[in-house]
Amino acid sequence: MLPASDQFDGQFIISAQAKPPFAGWRQLRIGPLFVNLSPTTKSIQVQDAAGKQIGILIGTPIDLEQRRLVFQRHVVDTVVDETMDIDAFVESTIYRLTGSFVFILCTEKFHRIYLDANGTLSVVYDAEAQVAGATAAVLLDPAEYRRRFRTRLYKAVDVPNAGWFTGDLTAHVGIHRLICNHYLDLDRWIAKRHWPAAAIEPALDPTATCARLFSRVTDTIEILSRTGQVSVGLTAGHDSRLLLACCRNLLDNVSFVTVNAPGADVDVGCATRLARRFGLAHTVLPYREATAEEANLWQVRTGHCVGGNNVKMHPSVRPLEGKYFIGGLGGEVGRGFLWLNAEDGTGLDTRGIVSRLKLPPESEIIEAVETWLGALPPFGTLLKLDLAYLELRMSSWGFCDSYVKPRQAEIHPMISRANYTDMLSLPPQMRRNGDVYFARIAETWREISQIPINRYGDFRDLLRPAVTAIKNPARAYRKAKQLAGY
């Protein structure tokens, strides 16, 4: 077993009472709060316009207005007044940042934890013990970790085969996940929604909206590219093509990477074709399967909350350690991922959401989703489904593995408050078509738009559905039921 300083590399603990730090960790005191940080966990002091510390940022925040990575200090342009609307303050000063971060707010009156726009750095908490941290494993000693483990639910959701714990559920009794768009009140130790406060206003000019989104993604990659240590994921997918378009004028400063994983033939073939045609600095990483020890460490670093192929293949991306990896997660929000055949007037209930998430109707899952749905403002069905995707899937499935590769900074530049607001503002029909960004890709770099997305571009495309059904008949059956509206 690795020592805590390595096993929990990149992690942190936030508590109301001082907890002895692990060997090699450092402890910060922020007002009444204690924050223990691993040696590699980046922390940034946040000050108001009067120079008073109002909290810290953990992670890799990026300031697009000042066109820089945020190091050591982030100064906001407002003096904190304890009578002010603190949520509006946080929205205007913290959520203008992109990147990947956790914000710990600490003023005389407010003590809270905020996640970035999609919770790309995971936070879990034990309300009874009044402690929060990166994972359950960093909060619980080994005996307590085993004692509290939800063995039955772990098996029911089939975590080893890509299942996950949705909503505020985790693999441990009494340990709750903080999901995005909610802050954790560190005085009462309860989570509360802070965004969106109202329905998203429809875009008046969808073309200009997409242009803004592309500009922010480009700026984020450009800022990171100045470090000379940026690898961009290149696959056959929609969002990968968007990233490539945004990199058109940055090709001398970024490289591209594709993992030659089992079943990734289309991705490898398409990425290789793009790289050869447009002279991209591209590497196909050989597949390397995790050892039993590596797989176990991966699970511990996720709190045993998610499984699937990433457990097996994660050593394949070890050559990216020390670099910024640019990924395309978040772009699917613009395509109404959970909509299927729904309209704004479609009825929506707990079991329907659980079915769309492809989770089993276990009582704990039903209760967690029902609690989430009951607390939602009276939004339309499509926005509720968008929030379900962001919070019940992406925040809890997509990013509970935030700390499994602690020496690789993973940034998804489509994830930001401004980008998500723009995505959610686009006309429903435009989003439902699935090619919401395609016109902008073609305008930015027409030649790359002419290479098929998610296809070989030859006879093999005709065979793929049959091959998929043979390899995974259960998945094909579920997909068919979803498309049919069952």
Side-chain angles (χ1 to χ4, degrees):
M1 177 66 71
L2 292 172
S5 57
D6 293 325
Q7 182 178 352
F8 302 133
D9 210 4
Q11 298 194 37
F12 53 87
I13 299 172
I14 304 160
S15 57
Q17 303 294 327
K19 294 179 69 68
F22 294 120
W25 284 41
R26 66 192 189 279
Q27 184 175 87
L28 303 180
R29 176 78 183 266
I30 311 172
L33 303 176
F34 297 86
V35 183
N36 291 357
L37 303 164
S38 85
T40 58
T41 302
K42 301 175 186 176
S43 67
I44 298 151
Q45 186 178 118
V46 180
Q47 297 178 344
D48 73 359
K52 183 176 182 179
Q53 183 175 5
I54 57 170
I56 65 169
L57 286 159
I58 292 174
T60 309
I62 301 169
D63 191 331
L64 296 187
E65 291 182 13
Q66 298 186 17
R67 302 188 67 80
R68 67 182 183 92
L69 276 163
V70 181
F71 291 114
Q72 295 184 328
R73 184 184 306 169
H74 177 60
V75 181
V76 303
D77 58 4
T78 306
V79 175
V80 170
D81 176 350
E82 300 299 333
T83 65
M84 71 195 320
D85 182 340
I86 199 68
D87 283 335
F89 166 78
V90 172
E91 281 295 323
S92 64
T93 60
I94 300 300
Y95 283 101
R96 69 178 180 81
L97 301 173
T98 184
S100 181
F101 59 85
V102 169
F103 175 50
I104 305 168
L105 173 72
C106 188
T107 69
E108 290 182 13
K109 183 178 179 180
F110 300 103
H111 312 105
R112 298 176 177 178
I113 300 174
Y114 289 84
L115 307 175
D116 64 35
N118 212 161
T120 64
L121 285 185
S122 172
V123 171
V124 298
Y125 63 97
D126 183 334
E128 184 175 343
Q130 297 192 345
V131 62
T135 64
V138 81
L139 299 183
L140 303 174
D141 66 45
E144 193 73 356
Y145 191 91
R146 290 189 296 271
R147 187 184 71 79
R148 293 209 209 176
F149 195 73
R150 300 178 190 265
T151 303
R152 190 199 64 78
L153 189 58
Y154 179 86
K155 293 178 179 178
V157 299
D158 199 14
V159 169
N161 293 309
W164 81 95
F165 294 89
T166 192
D168 72 343
L169 290 172
T170 71
H172 293 83
V173 175
I175 302 293
H176 302 276
R177 182 170 306 284
L178 180 63
I179 56 178
C180 68
N181 303 327
H182 297 69
Y183 66 77
L184 180 62
D185 182 331
L186 296 175
D187 295 313
R188 295 185 294 165
W189 287 88
I190 59 173
K192 183 177 180 181
R193 176 178 296 280
H194 63 91
W195 189 89
I200 307 297
E201 292 293 325
L204 298 177
D205 185 345
T207 300
T209 298
C210 284
R212 286 197 304 269
L213 191 153
F214 269 62
S215 178
R216 294 189 201 100
V217 172
T218 299
D219 288 349
T220 301
I221 300 173
E222 190 274 330
I223 291 166
L224 291 169
S225 74
R226 295 178 205 156
T227 66
Q229 297 292 318
V230 171
S231 291
V232 181
L234 189 60
T235 68
H238 291 85
D239 303 321
S240 175
R241 201 66 54 90
L242 185 159
L243 293 178
L244 178 56
C246 290
C247 289
R248 183 174 190 180
N249 297 321
L250 304 172
L251 298 183
D252 290 338
N253 299 318
V254 301
S255 61
F256 297 85
V257 64
T258 311
V259 178
N260 190 17
D265 295 356
V266 176
D267 288 326
V268 173
C270 186
T272 302
R273 183 179 176 187
L274 286 164
R276 288 173 178 168
R277 180 167 173 181
F278 301 107
L280 311 179
H282 177 238
T283 301
V284 177
L285 297 176
Y287 175 69
R288 187 195 149 193
E289 189 160 313
T291 64
E293 183 179 6
E294 289 170 332
N296 181 65
L297 179 58
W298 195 98
Q299 289 282 21
V300 169
R301 284 175 167 168
T302 68
H304 281 82
C305 284
V306 71
N309 288 332
N310 285 338
V311 182
K312 296 179 180 179
M313 67 175 286
H314 77 275
S316 305
V317 298
R318 194 159 289 151
L320 303 181
E321 287 186 353
K323 297 183 178 181
Y324 293 104
F325 173 76
I326 305 295
L329 293 181
E332 62 276 13
V333 172
R335 296 193 291 275
F337 194 86
L338 285 185
W339 289 5
L340 299 174
N341 55 356
E343 302 290 347
D344 248 339
T346 302
L348 191 63
D349 61 16
T350 300
R351 289 184 177 272
I353 293 174
V354 170
S355 176
R356 287 171 187 267
L357 293 170
K358 299 181 183 178
L359 291 170
E362 292 289 321
S363 59
E364 295 100 319
I365 292 173
I366 294 293
E367 182 179 353
V369 174
E370 188 169 17
T371 299
W372 174 87
L373 183 60
L376 271 181
F379 297 141
T381 296
L382 297 184
L383 179 55
K384 287 182 178 180
L385 288 172
D386 288 330
L387 293 174
Y389 181 73
L390 283 171
E391 299 169 14
L392 301 182
R393 175 162 172 168
M394 286 293 288
S395 193
S396 47
W397 165 77
F399 297 114
C400 66
D401 64 352
S402 304
Y403 309 98
V404 299
K405 301 185 290 289
R407 300 187 185 278
Q408 174 189 310
E410 191 166 303
I411 304 295
H412 299 275
M414 280 178 274
I415 295 175
S416 73
R417 178 72 84 235
N419 282 347
Y420 276 174
T421 300
D422 276 346
M423 289 179 197
L424 297 175
S425 77
L426 293 170
Q429 192 54 46
M430 183 179 181
R431 296 175 62 193
R432 197 184 294 276
N433 287 341
D435 56 359
V436 61
Y437 315 117
F438 196 77
R440 187 67 191 175
I441 292 172
E443 183 178 338
T444 304
W445 195 350
R446 179 165 298 279
E447 292 81 3
I448 68 169
S449 71
Q450 295 169 345
I451 294 179
I453 289 177
N454 282 327
R455 290 188 291 137
Y456 291 102
D458 57 31
F459 71 93
R460 289 172 293 180
D461 293 319
L462 299 175
L463 302 177
R464 284 180 69 196
V467 172
T468 300
I470 291 171
K471 287 183 176 179
N472 196 335
R475 181 182 179 189
Y477 175 68
R478 287 197 306 270
K479 187 65 175 177
K481 285 185 67 178
Q482 271 200 320
L483 292 173
Y486 294 106

